[in-house]
Amino acid sequence: MQEPTISAQDWIRVLSRIALRVEAEKDRLNELDGVIGDGDHGVTMAIGFRALDQALMGLQEDVTIDRVFQTAGEAFLSAAGGAVGPLIGSMLADTGEAFRGRVTFGAEEAVWMLEIMEQALVRRGKAQPGDKTMLDALHPAVIAARAAEGEELVEILRKAADAASAGARATGGMISRLGRSSRLGERTLGHEDAGANSIALILRGLEEEVATL
Amino acid sequence: MQEPTISAQDWIRVLSRIALRVEAEKDRLNELDGVIGDGDHGVTMAIGFRALDQALMGLQEDVTIDRVFQTAGEAFLSAAGGAVGPLIGSMLADTGEAFRGRVTFGAEEAVWMLEIMEQALVRRGKAQPGDKTMLDALHPAVIAARAAEGEELVEILRKAADAASAGARATGGMISRLGRSSRLGERTLGHEDAGANSIALILRGLEEEVATL
Amino acid sequence: MKKLINDTFQVTREELEGFVAAFPRAVRRVGIQAVVRQDAPVTGKVGVILGGGSGHEPLFMGYLGRGLADGCPVGNIFASPSPSIVLDATRAVSGGAGVLYIYGNYSGDCMNFDIAAEIAEKEGIHVETIRVTDDVASAPLEQKESRRGIAGDFFVLKAAGACADDNGDLEHVRAAACKANDNCRSMGVALSSCTIPASGRPIFALGADEIEIGLGIHGEPGESRQKLMTADQITDVLVSRILEDPLFHAGDEVAVLVNGLGATPLAELFIVFRRVARLLHDARIHIHRSYVGEYSTSLEMAGCSVTLMRLDEELRRWVDWPANSPYFTQVN
Amino acid sequence: MKKLINDTFQVTREELEGFVAAFPRAVRRVGIQAVVRQDAPVTGKVGVILGGGSGHEPLFMGYLGRGLADGCPVGNIFASPSPSIVLDATRAVSGGAGVLYIYGNYSGDCMNFDIAAEIAEKEGIHVETIRVTDDVASAPLEQKESRRGIAGDFFVLKAAGACADDNGDLEHVRAAACKANDNCRSMGVALSSCTIPASGRPIFALGADEIEIGLGIHGEPGESRQKLMTADQITDVLVSRILEDPLFHAGDEVAVLVNGLGATPLAELFIVFRRVARLLHDARIHIHRSYVGEYSTSLEMAGCSVTLMRLDEELRRWVDWPANSPYFTQVN
Ligand SMILES: Nc1ncnc2c1ncn2[C@@H]1O[C@H](COP(=O)(O)OP(=O)(O)O)[C@@H](O)[C@H]1O
Ligand SMILES: Nc1ncnc2c1ncn2[C@@H]1O[C@H](COP(=O)(O)OP(=O)(O)O)[C@@H](O)[C@H]1O
Ligand SMILES: [Mg+2]
Ligand SMILES: [Mg+2]
Ligand SMILES: [Mg+2]
Ligand SMILES: [Mg+2]
């Protein structure tokens, strides 16, 4: 049996579908950010993903996987601004950088991609696990994906998404130590982090959209 | 039987007691003005009457009736500002002017005072009956007082106050043709005029406070 | 009611204390509620007085200074200053060349300023008066002189202050102010009411999706209540009503003021200005100079007004004239 | 949500269109969301860039002009501009003498401006950065460099812009901005929240009698929620917290900024200023110059902040330096 692989065109489809999911969840993300931040996280994510979608539509038929990610990352970075622009922008762009020359994308690459994304996030944002940021969804996702190594692509993505969701929920019990909300200290307890929820949303989208390919 | 007469000291007492009544009704007057005007009529009346009260407190024992009214009018005019400052200020000051040299104040003078006040109001404000202004309380009061000529002082003041109250209520059926509210035209229908209510309030106070002398 | 105040009855007085403390080089207080330029009276210059009730800041006292006003009598919130306050300002700015009173056309202001003018004349100070009547929503054109004044005060002051600074005599300064007023048209919209501190509750109530078109700057209700529209649609209504008066023609040059009523972010005023500029462009009316910001407010009301002043050579000169005051400074 | 807007996602873009249309002699747009002085780049002069998310108008672009900023990259509402917007501004103001970035210390801004600076350096434009950290409520003094920036941006810009206008080189301009920031302390209070258009609902909820002391200018909750107090009591809290940092001493000279957050009438800011002046007088701290008005807003939030900048001879010189921009002009 041939191991399933995600093509560049698949990636365009998957990322565009994730953009729709972000659009649909924008108000919820704003609300989460409103409680302990400035209430714009959903808007910023939507602006970034709209631009990403727009940029991907302009790509040629024969585009490579790395160019898809590069394009997505640059478009997101240029359009979103805010804190998430550089963070998610770098996650995508660094993935593109790392995948230069690659033509297949299967289970193994999925784990690797998540690792690269975590490194990009930490490099840009300097967060540590427990700081109540996007990392608290991404970090458990990477651990779960690594633990699932050897399983099928969609299974790995499902476990990563589950771990990210659990991680996002767990941020409710954390005291923010980075970004705007950090000034609130203990007042952040009991409220989930908006960015961590975005990561959970993206990884869930990744799993479910890849499953429909 | 000696016809009762209101002394200068009595007038100070009566006007000060009316000031308290205005203070107590300030919110209601604001509300009336808020519906079709700018909502400050009660405040302006209170400011004017506070200053009037203050000025009367500073008068000597041997003050004359005309000085009481002069002082009251000038104090009201200087402090209140707005539309009512010149209107009520002139009503009081013109009364003082007219009573120069007078030492008694009985039933006959009460009618005369109301006539002078009406003239002062019209001279300053150029209103006509039916314009939905203070005049629509004062004008019927003057007619009622004239009709009661020959009766006792308090009786005359009661009839004037009753007519002013009825007049104020009747402004609800008028379309404003003067002052701020005139820009509203038909939208003023169904709402009583604030200034007319002030006149009713003052004349009722006059009656009741004179009755307790 | 949440406000940064101490005593609801002392708002105007404490406000003036703070104002003169903030700009001691520029202004000083005379009497209880009048403020004048620090260098008043300027000998030989016409004294320009701009006043009215408070609650419209930076109007009036924010515009005390060279090329603008010499004195501002300030009434309590939304109430004309009394004659004694007007006289305090009048005497302090009288430099021997007469005094011009500028104020919005409201019956309270008319009565109080007229009484002050009578007394000033008795004291030998010659006073002329211009009542600002820019609000097209307040009366039809045939009754132009009964229209009320809103943000147009600023343009009328700009012309009078510049002409006085150019050493115009009283007749000349009055004529400049009069021409500015004749060529000025405004209309406003409110998105919310406002609260007079001593009353403690909003003057009027607007539904969550309602706006009041053509309102007055003291919360007097306007011409019509409508459902919320986009900024472009609202601007279209305001500008088309302004252009209905047969004053502006293709080829004309105008000054534009998009004025915030208090709570509306500058960003929204720019969005309104963007549309005004487009509409004027389409009507081939040329914008000579633009003003966008809070010039004449209504406490914390949300909304804006649009003012156009048609320019001829003289008015262009007065608009371009330099000015220097705490809240408006223009260098060329 | 009632706002004068058209499309919730186009607010910043349409706002900028309106802004440049209103002041065509003063500013021009470069790229999609950057605005620069019309005469940029000024050859041989350090380019001063002040930027951040929009929603704080007139900050940032209102201060483009002589003695102030050369370029403003403007992000979406309350969101840092992206590196490409910052670069658009950087390239347009680079006159060969290097560029200084000034922005409030928020993690989003730090990341985006840093990426832009890296790219600019690769293109041969030397960039220095000052992050404004004036808000005493946001972190204790030992962590001064992690405090966030609020209205202090204005004073830091004033110093940098003046020094650049005086032909200071990049190191000199950076040092002036740094000194201004080191000597600047602010604290704010909110009486209401505000609404980001694309979100449509207030960022946070305050009870009818509650205020939020020490809040951020993006609606980030503050230090503590308290019951409404008088203006004097609130001012006492703000000023005493500012004076807690062992920076200000009897005999010092300061510049004062009482800044409105958007919906607070100027009259209330004067009442706050009145109390600030009294408190400083009692502390024998001398006010050299005062600024009262909306300098750095949070959309239509009600409330204010108080900023003090301690002056030495150099900072006094930069504060007094003339400036000319659409929303701040100072002549001496
Ligand atoms: N340094 C960081 N590292 C990782 N994530 C961060 C960092 N700073 C902020 N975030 C994430 O960004 C989210 C806020 O994003 P957003 O609201 O778009 O930006 P802003 O704070 O500029 O308004 C937070 O919920 C948090 O998860
Ligand atoms: N010209 C006038 N003649 C008689 N009464 C008037 C006139 N103009 C206004 N009024 C009265 O003044 C009242 C409003 O007073 P007030 O609210 O104190 O003044 P303002 O309109 O300046 O806010 C109106 O209700 C009306 O009765
Ligand atoms: Mg946010
Ligand atoms: Mg009224
Ligand atoms: Mg009034
Ligand atoms: Mg933000």
Side-chain angles (χ1 to χ4, degrees), chain B residues 33 37-41 180:
Chain B
D33 191 36
D38 61 353
D40 66 350
H41 182 65
R180 278 186 210 295

Side-chain angles (χ1 to χ4, degrees), chain D residues 77-91:
Chain D
I77 295 180
F78 293 176
S80 165
S82 68
S84 62
I85 298 173
V86 179
L87 281 164
D88 285 337
T90 308
R91 293 179 191 122

Side-chain angles (χ1 to χ4, degrees), chain D residues 228-243:
Chain D
L228 183 61
M229 299 179 278
T230 65
D232 284 357
Q233 288 168 331
I234 291 172
T235 309
D236 290 352
V237 173
L238 301 183
V239 171
S240 69
R241 278 297 315 277
I242 287 172
L243 296 183

Side-chain angles (χ1 to χ4, degrees), chain D residues 208-222:
Chain D
D209 61 344
E210 283 180 334
I211 60 176
E212 180 87 28
I213 298 235
L215 93 159
I217 50 168
H218 311 87
E220 305 96 329

Side-chain angles (χ1 to χ4, degrees), chain B residues 24-150:
Chain B
E25 294 292 317
K26 141 171 92 64
D27 292 342
R28 186 174 65 86
L29 297 174
N30 281 338
E31 265 165 61
L32 284 168
D33 191 36
V35 182
I36 53 175
D38 61 353
D40 66 350
H41 182 65
V43 178
T44 309
M45 289 292 289
I47 290 172
F49 268 100
R50 281 182 191 190
L52 174 156
D53 188 42
Q54 195 77 31
L56 295 187
M57 284 200 324
L59 291 177
Q60 308 284 3
E61 284 283 323
D62 59 351
V63 67
T64 52
I65 291 177
D66 62 301
R67 275 308 299 151
V68 172
F69 277 94
Q70 283 279 5
T71 305
E74 278 161 21
F76 193 94
L77 173 61
S78 302
V84 286
L87 295 173
I88 294 186
S90 300
M91 283 163 57
L92 292 164
D94 282 18
T95 302
E97 190 73 38
F99 276 74
R100 193 164 295 165
R102 293 249 166 178
V103 290
T104 60
F105 192 108
E108 204 175 303
E109 286 81 4
V111 180
W112 192 42
M113 175 188 74
L114 290 170
E115 287 172 341
I116 292 163
M117 286 184 163
E118 182 180 8
Q119 283 159 22
L121 180 61
V122 171
R123 179 173 65 84
R124 267 288 163 232
K126 314 266 180 311
Q128 299 192 344
D131 281 353
K132 196 177 183 115
T133 71
M134 298 203 282
L135 185 63
D136 294 305
L138 190 55
H139 182 64
V142 172
I143 292 175
R146 272 208 210 102
E149 230 154 352

